């Protein structure tokens, strides 16, 4: 068994992973957003879009 002390970087990584999982599980993940995540000057905007979309899906809304 492993343990670790949580920090901000780990929380950010897990939050990103969970948002990506949520969108992919609901077939709402767009390849354009994933492409923008890989570009450093567009990461913040794409990350915010992922957060908003995943939060809405978890709240029970449908994304089109």
């Amino acid at each position: 068994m492993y343990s670790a002390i949580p920090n901000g970087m780990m929380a950010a990584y897990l939050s990103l992973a969970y948002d990506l999982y949520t969108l992919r599980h609901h077939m709402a993940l767009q390849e354009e957003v994933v492409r923008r995540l890989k570009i450093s000057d567009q990461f913040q905007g794409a990350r915010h879009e992922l957060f908003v979309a995943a939060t809405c899906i978890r709240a029970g809304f449908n994304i089109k």
Side-chain angles (χ1 to χ4, degrees), residues 46-60:
R47 176 66 188 106
H48 183 72
E49 288 177 27
L50 282 175
F51 167 73
V52 171
T55 301
C56 289
I57 285 175
R58 286 190 292 264

Side-chain angles (χ1 to χ4, degrees), residues 2-3 6 15 18 27 30 40 46-47 49 53 59-60:
Y2 297 97
S3 66
S15 177
Y18 188 53
M27 293 181 264
Q30 299 174 352
S40 62
R47 176 66 188 106
E49 288 177 27

Side-chain angles (χ1 to χ4, degrees), residues 31-44:
E31 290 189 26
E32 175 64 21
V33 176
V34 174
R35 184 189 65 78
R36 288 179 45 223
L37 283 172
K38 297 175 184 179
I39 301 171
S40 62
D41 65 333
Q42 295 185 13
F43 178 83
Q44 280 299 108

Side-chain angles (χ1 to χ4, degrees), residues 1-20:
M1 179 152 291
Y2 297 97
S3 66
I5 299 172
N7 59 23
M9 188 180 299
M10 186 174 76
Y13 176 73
L14 290 175
S15 177
L16 172 62
Y18 188 53
D19 288 346
L20 286 169

